[in-house]
Amino acid sequence: MLVVMRHDATAREIDAVVATIREMGYDARPIPGKQRTAIGLIGNDGKVNADRIEALGGVLEIIHVSQPYKQVSREWKEEATVVVLDNGTRIGAGDVAVMAGPCSVESEAQIIGSAHRLREAGATILRGGAFKPRTSPYSFQGMGEDGLKLLARAREETGMAIVTEAIDSESLDLVAQYADIVQIGARNMQNFSLLRRAGRAGKPVLLKRGMAATIKDLLLSAEYLLAEGNGNVILCERGVRGFDTHTRNLLDLTAIPVVKSLSHLPIIADPSHGTGIRAKVIPMARAAVAAGADGLMIEVHPDPERALSDGAQSLYPGQFEELMEQIAVIANAIGRQLVPPLVPVAAGSA
Ligand code: PEP
Ligand code: MN
């Protein structure tokens, strides 16, 4: 439930509403807006009797949020959420943000070399897993903290922001120390204790859609992050299990306009995991931008044949450069543009 205050409501009237909500046994979250303050009531599982609140001074109207995901919904917050990173990249403000890099951090030469080339092509966020959730326990599991240190070096050298995955609570604490964005992967989308912890980690979170999750499931998982006080959440469509064997997953691009209408949170697309096949990544990346995605996550590897994970879906760097040129044109066609490229970090300034 949302209590919308009159534009001339006094601080004392706002405090009285907050106190009444707390007395009723719920939690109150004041949301200051440009025109007026609203006060969100959370902690209810069902409709709240608003009679007592309606009668208080300064109250303009009561809005009952009809969705089970409250703080994530457009009813709760009409204005789009913009996630702002330290390097100036804004996600959700209209420009298309590009996160690119290898599936896994594998070596210093691989990640630092990739970062320079990707930044030159216009990506402002570097991806790379240091903790890998692998289907087989015998597959490469990631470099761990050494990988995070290499990502931090790549950031120093290029100015790119870092997005990297946390797979459990131990890795979350480490990842949150190094990353600009903490990624929660598809396999952990409904790991609710991990979500709560990520909500308290103090860093923006990239939440990927689970492979068998509905859009409602995704939004309810995001609600866990907002319920812990973290509003800097970016959603990611990365494909769901389909019945067709021609692709690894079924990239559900309808999720983009659907999420946009239901939620104020930004949503990006990951056509690399969404298709699993290099030749299908570029067409689906173009389509995602055309569908209104706030950004893309693209796997790129300097030598995909030798990649330790997801080589078959990783673009060659030259293909990524081509893709960046193409999506700039598509973004323009719908009145948008790519997030402006980073200016090179001066040699020796790191
Ligand atoms: C990844 O980004 O490398 C990854 C493992 O993604 P997902 O969780 O979408 O499978
Ligand atoms: Mn991958």
Side-chain angles (χ1 to χ4, degrees):
M1 193 177 88
L2 207 57
V3 184
V4 183
M5 302 301 289
R6 292 162 49 105
H7 73 277
D8 57 356
T10 63
R12 186 181 286 237
E13 285 170 330
I14 294 169
D15 288 348
V17 172
V18 170
T20 307
I21 291 173
R22 294 197 175 135
E23 252 172 57
M24 290 164 69
Y26 305 112
D27 199 4
R29 292 251 166 104
I31 312 164
K34 283 193 197 106
Q35 304 291 330
R36 47 176 67 94
T37 293
I39 300 152
L41 179 152
I42 49 180
N44 60 308
D45 189 11
K47 199 166 172 184
V48 172
N49 181 346
D51 294 352
R52 257 184 86 185
I53 299 166
E54 230 154 13
L56 294 171
V59 173
L60 177 70
E61 64 172 328
I62 307 276
I63 298 172
H64 290 281
V65 178
S66 57
Q67 307 292 358
Y69 39 84
K70 297 184 188 311
Q71 301 187 60
V72 159
S73 74
R74 281 260 183 212
E75 294 168 304
W76 188 275
K77 180 168 172 273
E78 174 67 36
E79 230 170 279
T81 287
V82 179
V83 177
V84 184
L85 306 180
D86 285 349
N87 74 353
T89 301
R90 291 157 63 81
I91 306 163
D95 292 358
V96 178
V98 179
M99 313 181 180
C103 180
S104 302
V105 179
E106 298 170 358
S107 70
E108 178 171 341
Q110 176 237 25
I111 196 68
I112 306 280
S114 294
H116 283 284
R117 191 145 181 199
L118 296 166
R119 184 201 59 73
E120 276 163 33
T124 65
I125 304 165
L126 178 67
R127 66 146 289 141
F131 296 91
K132 297 303 302 177
R134 303 306 300 279
T135 303
S136 162
Y138 308 118
S139 301
F140 176 60
Q141 305 283 312
M143 289 182 73
E145 189 169 8
D146 289 343
L148 297 176
K149 287 183 179 156
L150 292 177
L151 287 167
R153 267 206 47 209
R155 171 174 52 208
E156 261 174 44
E157 285 198 18
T158 62
M160 294 175 90
I162 300 298
V163 58
T164 190
E165 180 167 355
I167 53 171
D168 49 29
S169 46
E170 296 88 72
S171 57
L172 184 97
D173 292 346
L174 267 177
V175 164
Q177 282 174 40
Y178 289 90
D180 297 282
I181 305 173
V182 175
Q183 176 173 324
I184 301 292
R187 290 156 191 79
N188 270 316
M189 189 204 83
Q190 288 189 310
N191 182 338
F192 301 119
S193 61
L194 187 63
L195 291 175
R196 284 200 191 279
R197 210 167 166 124
R200 293 193 296 265
K203 287 285 169 81
V205 175
L206 176 72
L207 179 63
K208 299 186 88 174
R209 181 178 181 182
M211 48 196 74
T214 63
I215 293 171
K216 184 174 162 188
D217 292 337
L218 172 65
L219 296 174
L220 278 166
S221 287
E223 186 77 14
Y224 272 86
L225 298 165
L226 274 78
E228 292 297 327
N230 189 348
N232 284 317
V233 176
I234 306 150
L235 304 172
C236 179
E237 166 56 42
R238 50 77 74 204
V240 290
R241 280 269 153 89
F243 48 78
D244 203 306
T245 52
H246 284 92
T247 53
R248 178 177 175 186
N249 287 300
L250 177 64
L251 184 66
D252 177 13
L253 289 182
T254 52
I256 294 165
V258 171
V259 164
K260 288 258 154 228
S261 65
L262 296 173
S263 174
H264 51 83
L265 295 175
I267 177 162
I268 69 163
D270 170 356
S272 303
H273 296 87
T275 63
I277 301 165
R278 183 177 308 122
K280 312 294 181 241
V281 172
I282 291 181
M284 296 314 288
R286 293 190 300 230
V289 172
D294 293 301
L296 293 174
M297 170 170 267
I298 307 285
E299 286 188 340
V300 186
H301 195 287
D303 187 2
E305 281 71 28
R306 289 190 184 73
L308 297 181
S309 59
D310 286 350
Q313 67 194 32
S314 298
L315 296 186
Y316 291 97
Q319 288 181 297
F320 178 72
E321 287 156 5
E322 233 173 81
L323 170 65
M324 289 297 278
E325 285 173 18
Q326 295 178 353
I327 58 172
V329 178
I330 294 169
N332 280 333
I334 55 169
R336 306 174 80 170
Q337 55 174 13
L338 302 189
V339 165
L342 299 166
V343 284
V345 175
S349 70

